[in-house]
Amino acid sequence: MSDIRDEAAIRALLRRTFDTAVAAADPMKVLARHLPERPKGRVVVIGAGKASALMAKAVVEHWPDAEGLVVTRYDHAVPAGRIEIVEASHPVPDANGEAAARRILDKVKGLGPDDLVLALISGGGSALLSLPAEGLTLADKQAVNRALLASGAAINEMNAVRKHLSAIKGGQLARAAAPAKVVTLTISDVPGDDPTVIASGPTVPDNSTIEDVRRIIKHYGIELPPAVAAHLAKGHETPKPGAFPVDIRMIATPAMALAAAADFLRNQGITPLILGDALEGESRELGNFLAGIAKSARQHGLPLKSPCALLSGGETTVSIGKGPAGRGGRNTECLLALAVALGGAERIWAVAGDTDGIDGTEDAAGAIIGPHTLATARAKGLDPRAYLAGHDSYSLFDAIGDLVKTGPTLTNVNDFRAVFVL
């Protein structure tokens, strides 16, 4: 077991745990065994998401003659043979994403029953496949997307709205590919691994309805551009279950990443407890919740004795409200709330980060906290509670040197959190 009394060793172990979780979702390691048989006819590879370029590269490793087009986030492209890689904006769509989505839709049209569409879908694909429904503009979708991101809406709620404002999401891509066979290889970044939610399910029939969208809009008080309000009033629906055959293959999920991290920690002599792969809610509230469990483990050996690690995944939210907000993402906000709730408790450390390497819109995956966090911040004249109230967690962790920076990992199984009680 690593020396749990040495700060440098603890930090290194936290980082190795996070890196192990990310590696479990590396397309180059996990994709090949999920490939279908080659068809008699053509193979058209299409895709969207933060991992789509690396997924395409993994396909080409085994099918060198594969052709097609995938769209990924800026700075996420890698060479993928004859599969064209297009970069576009995330989380707010841009014209590159719109043009790529239109080209992807065109590529799957006119295929026959002996042809195969291999769809490579991962988190982030919803913003990247930004093809507005008839009568809407990209500016309309951008306005709604910004409002959703600031509202605190859950990812499934945001995607329900996005599907009904799109010409390609919510199963509409698969419907356009008929009668060709569609096989979807998916890396999940959503709680519960629901394929209808990942990238807004372009190849999966849609369970959400126009009525659901209207309820979400009303609940969060989102002001709609006139064209969007008119479009929703018309009641245009997405394809529903049973509309076409579905072949979805999950190649990486949050649960797989957590299991890999748990195995790693057992080998280090630390007992892991996976709290769940789909934790949601406000980031700071989750931080308070994790602090309570960690304190119990430290003081009473419940739910398990130290040395132990509390592992969790999922996607929390940060509701900004109408006041000013600083820099930060859901992982750094969760960690800062955890640190404040722990109050400098000895022998409790934590790492949290987005497995795509980007927490919110910042250049860090997340951060590390320990018994030192609050004292270090205060020694620099920083008030942790004020930074938490101002949603400025990135700035605090940047100032004390505790950010975790990986750069784009080219995969995405959502957030990963590990709380060590040593």
Side-chain angles (χ1 to χ4, degrees):
M1 184 174 70
S2 300
D3 186 354
I4 59 174
R5 295 166 297 179
D6 180 76
E7 179 173 331
I10 296 170
R11 288 175 176 273
L13 187 59
L14 285 163
R15 179 58 188 267
R16 288 172 62 197
T17 304
F18 179 75
D19 291 344
T20 297
V22 173
D26 184 346
M28 299 301 293
K29 298 177 180 178
V30 301
L31 182 141
R33 63 180 176 267
H34 299 279
L35 285 169
E37 293 184 6
R38 292 292 296 259
K40 295 179 181 179
R42 296 177 57 199
V43 175
V44 177
V45 179
I46 53 94
K50 298 173 187 177
S52 63
L54 196 58
M55 293 172 80
K57 182 178 180 179
V59 170
V60 171
E61 288 281 314
H62 296 272
W63 293 355
D65 60 338
E67 297 183 76
L69 185 155
V70 305
V71 57
T72 191
R73 184 174 178 160
Y74 288 120
D75 300 321
H76 283 54
V78 295
R82 299 164 68 184
I83 301 175
E84 182 183 355
I85 310 296
V86 175
E87 292 183 320
S89 176
H90 177 280
V92 177
D94 69 359
N96 274 11
E98 180 179 13
R102 194 177 304 279
R103 291 179 62 200
I104 286 172
L105 197 61
D106 289 341
K107 281 184 177 294
V108 304
K109 292 179 178 178
L111 300 176
D114 291 332
D115 298 324
L116 169 68
V117 173
L118 185 65
L120 310 177
I121 303 299
S122 60
S126 189
L128 296 165
L129 282 176
S130 53
L131 186 59
E134 185 176 356
L136 301 182
T137 65
L138 179 60
D140 292 328
K141 292 198 69 178
Q142 288 172 329
V144 175
N145 209 51
R146 289 191 187 97
L148 286 168
L149 288 168
S151 71
I155 186 64
N156 62 317
E157 294 175 314
M158 289 192 282
N159 283 350
V161 177
R162 289 164 172 165
K163 291 175 190 179
H164 286 84
L165 304 183
S166 173
I168 196 170
K169 299 177 183 122
Q172 296 179 83
L173 176 60
R175 181 169 62 184
K181 181 180 181 180
V182 178
V183 174
T184 304
L185 305 185
T186 298
I187 294 179
S188 172
D189 72 324
V190 301
D193 306 327
D194 184 349
T196 68
V197 178
I198 303 166
S200 297
T203 60
V204 188
D206 181 23
N207 292 315
S208 69
T209 66
I210 283 285
E211 285 304 315
D212 293 330
V213 173
R214 291 169 179 157
R215 174 185 54 79
I216 293 165
I217 296 296
K218 181 178 180 180
H219 177 75
Y220 291 102
I222 295 172
E223 294 186 13
L224 297 176
V228 173
H231 173 78
L232 294 178
K234 293 176 183 177
H236 292 303
E237 272 293 2
T238 48
K240 300 306 173 198
F244 48 79
V246 178
D247 187 342
I248 304 290
R249 306 181 185 193
M250 293 282 176
I251 71 169
T253 68
M256 295 175 190
L258 289 165
D263 288 343
F264 168 74
L265 289 170
R266 288 189 192 97
N267 290 332
Q268 302 298 314
I270 295 176
T271 304
L273 175 64
I274 297 177
L275 300 175
D277 67 340
L279 275 63
E280 299 181 88
E282 282 293 322
S283 296
R284 63 179 62 193
E285 292 176 5
L286 178 59
N288 292 333
F289 170 74
L290 293 174
I293 299 178
K295 287 179 179 178
S296 177
R298 177 176 174 269
Q299 295 171 4
H300 308 297
L302 296 172
L304 69 171
K305 296 179 180 179
S306 62
C308 63
L310 309 170
L311 307 181
S312 63
E315 182 171 345
T316 57
T317 54
V318 176
S319 298
I320 295 173
K322 296 182 179 180
R327 301 175 66 189
R330 55 185 183 261
N331 287 287
T332 53
E333 177 142 330
C334 175
L335 282 172
L336 185 52
L338 173 60
V340 168
L342 289 173
E346 294 295 323
R347 306 198 311 273
I348 300 177
W349 295 75
V351 64
D354 196 323
T355 55
D356 68 3
I358 302 167
D359 188 29
T361 59
E362 300 298 345
D363 61 355
I368 286 173
I369 68 162
H372 67 284
T373 300
L374 301 184
T376 303
R378 288 167 181 152
K380 290 182 174 290
L382 310 176
D383 180 352
R385 291 183 181 275
Y387 275 77
L388 181 61
H391 303 290
D392 201 14
S393 52
Y394 176 98
S395 297
L396 184 139
F397 287 119
D398 189 28
I400 66 175
D402 281 342
L403 289 172
V404 172
K405 294 189 177 183
T406 63
T409 64
L410 307 184
T411 190
N412 183 20
V413 286
N414 223 313
D415 298 338
F416 174 83
R417 296 172 290 270
V419 181
F420 287 5
V421 184
L422 303 175

